[in-house]
Every structure is written in structure tokens, then in C-alpha cells.
């Protein structure tokens, strides 16, 4: 929730939230929970790597919020405890050919697919829902940047150019789902404000503000027409 709303000060706060949420042990006849913060924090501080497995070929790291909450939360917690653990994504969708990749490489591969003309055209055929899917891609990538610091600015540039730099896609977002367009502008702005994205364009911040204003106007117009 903190990631989605942007209601946090820094990465350390996210790391502490992860430790607070995960630091419980369960046992006894009723399976009652008890706080076990010290033990869990010690394990995180001792970890050299996190290996995150995925066996579902139909979803990836940028689908839903579970992966970024777990992987990103761990990375933020480890950093808080003075540890820089390796983050390894292990794809076991084909048990005979498991593929292990560092998080940065895994994200780069996913972004490459999601800026393709074929992927974008497919989402545009789904109207408002497709616009929400494009937003989800941006939101999850920014969340990985906020929690791990392992998202290259080039990936942000590529998403922005494909979704907002293309006049046709930008118009689609504003027409079909102004709320998604406004939220996309906010999440890109979050990355800029937190120093996680050093964009190629000098006028980017102004452009994101303009998009947010356009989206607000489009949203009001759409509501009035209903």
C-alpha cells in the first residue's frame, strides 16, 4: 500500500515496513502468531542472495504487486541492515530448463517485450482495461526502482517513450482511461522526484505535469458526458 500510494519517505522506511510485516513465527495447537523480529532481521542481514522462483508462464514480475512486495521489500530490508544481497530471479516454468537471471537483467527483458508495437497494440484493443495494463507496467517498474535501486534509467526512458512519447498511445490513454494517464504521470514523476530516473529529455518534468492536467480535464469531461 505504501508503494502504491507513494506515502513513504525513503527506502529505509519500506525496508522497516517489510521487516515489521514479515517478522512473525507461528506455532502451537492453534497456530498462533508471535512477533519474532530479531530472528528474522538476523536472517535477512546474513543472506548473501535471494532466489525468487516463478513457475507460471502466464505472468511475470510486472504483473500484480506480490513480486515487487516480496523481492523489493527484501532488498530494502537488507539495505537497511547494511547488506547488499544478490537478487536472482529463477524461472522454472519449464522444469527441464530452469533459467536464473539477476533482477536487473530480468526486468530489462520484460521491458523489452512491453515496449514492442505488438504488445502495445494488443493492450489498445482492450480499451480502458488495456490502458490500466500499461499503467501497471509503469507502476511496477517504478516500485522496483524505489525498493531495489536496480532499475536503469534507460528502462524508464524506453517505457516513457513508448507509452507517453508516442502521440497515438498517449491519446489512447487520455481517451480511454484518463485516470490511468494521470496515475502514470504521477508514477513517472515519483521516479524523477526520488532521483531514480535521470531522463534524457530536459523538458520531461514539465511534460508530465502537462499530461496530468490533460488527464484531469479529460476525466471531468468524461464524467460530465455520462
Amino acid at each position: 500500500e505504501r508503494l502504491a500510494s507513494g506515502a513513504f519517505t525513503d527506502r529505509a522506511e519500506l525496508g522497516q515496513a517489510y521487516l515489521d510485516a514479515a517478522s512473525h513465527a507461528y506455532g502451537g495447537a492453534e497456530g498462533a502468531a508471535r512477533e519474532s523480529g530479531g530472528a528474522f532481521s538476523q536472517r535477512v542481514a546474513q543472506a548473501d542472495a535471494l532466489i525468487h522462483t516463478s513457475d507460471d508462464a502466464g505472468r511475470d514480475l510486472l504483473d500484480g504487486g506480490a513480486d515487487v512486495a516480496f523481492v523489493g521489500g527484501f532488498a530494502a530490508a537488507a539495505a537497511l541492515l547494511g547488506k547488499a544481497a544478490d537478487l536472482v530471479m529463477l524461472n522454472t516454468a519449464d522444469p527441464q530448463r530452469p533459467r536464473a537471471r539477476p533482477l536487473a537483467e530480468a526486468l530489462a527483458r520484460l521491458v523489452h517485450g512491453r515496449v514492442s508495437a505488438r504488445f502495445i497494440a494488443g493492450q489498445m484493443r482492450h480499451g480502458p482495461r488495456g490502458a490500466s495494463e500499461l499503467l501497471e507496467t509503469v507502476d511496477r517498474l517504478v516500485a522496483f526502482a524505489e525498493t531495489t535501486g536496480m532499475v536503469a534509467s534507460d528502462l524508464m526512458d524506453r517505457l516513457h517513450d513508448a507509452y507517453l512519447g508516442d502521440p497515438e498511445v498517449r491519446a489512447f490513454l487520455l481517451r480511454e482511461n484518463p485516470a490511468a494517464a494521470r496515475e502514470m504521470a504521477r508514477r513517472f514523476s515519483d521516479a524523477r522526484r526520488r532521483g531514480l530516473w535521470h531522463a534524457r529529455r530536459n523538458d520531461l518534468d514539465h511534460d508530465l505535469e502537462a499530461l496530468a492536467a490533460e488527464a484531469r480535464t479529460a476525466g471531468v469531461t468524461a464524467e460530465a458526458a455520462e
Side-chain angles (χ1 to χ4, degrees):
E1 292 181 3
R2 294 191 188 191
L3 276 175
S5 66
F8 63 93
T9 303
D10 53 24
R11 187 183 177 196
E13 183 178 335
L14 295 175
Q16 188 60 57
Y18 175 85
L19 292 174
D20 292 343
S23 297
H24 294 81
Y26 298 84
E30 302 298 325
R34 59 181 176 81
E35 201 279 331
S36 183
F40 183 70
S41 294
Q42 185 178 24
R43 294 297 297 271
V44 173
Q46 293 173 342
D48 293 318
L50 172 72
I51 299 177
H52 181 54
T53 61
S54 173
D55 60 3
D56 186 351
R59 66 178 305 279
D60 58 46
L61 292 169
L62 299 179
D63 288 324
D67 292 309
V68 69
F70 175 63
V71 177
F74 173 88
L80 176 65
L81 297 171
K83 190 75 173 184
D86 293 331
L87 304 176
V88 180
M89 306 299 104
L90 179 62
N91 187 330
T92 59
D94 181 352
Q96 303 304 315
R97 299 178 61 193
R99 298 289 182 88
R101 295 184 176 92
L103 175 64
E105 180 184 335
L107 290 175
R109 289 173 61 88
L110 293 175
V111 169
H112 179 74
R114 294 195 180 203
V115 299
S116 70
R118 180 178 180 180
F119 175 82
I120 295 172
Q123 297 305 321
M124 291 175 69
R125 285 195 292 271
H126 292 289
R129 177 56 192 167
S132 294
E133 292 289 341
L134 297 181
L135 166 62
E136 183 177 61
T137 296
V138 173
D139 178 66
R140 299 301 180 264
L141 189 69
V142 173
F144 271 112
E146 290 169 331
T147 53
T148 72
M150 294 183 181
V151 177
S153 288
D154 176 65
L155 297 186
M156 298 283 191
D157 283 328
R158 294 184 68 189
L159 272 190
H160 175 270
D161 291 349
Y163 294 178
L164 299 181
D166 184 302
E168 183 178 355
V169 182
R170 186 184 183 113
F172 160 77
L173 289 165
L174 288 167
R175 180 182 68 252
E176 297 292 337
N177 195 332
R182 185 173 66 251
E183 183 66 6
M184 190 178 291
R186 184 183 74 83
R187 291 302 279 144
F188 273 129
S189 294
D190 285 346
R192 292 281 296 153
R193 175 171 54 84
R194 296 184 188 280
L196 300 170
W197 177 22
H198 304 287
R200 292 191 297 257
R201 289 178 50 181
N202 294 327
D203 65 340
L204 186 66
D205 295 329
H206 175 74
D207 182 67
L208 291 173
E209 291 174 3
L211 173 64
E214 286 183 76
R216 282 192 293 270
T217 300
V220 170
T221 301
E223 290 177 3
E226 292 179 354

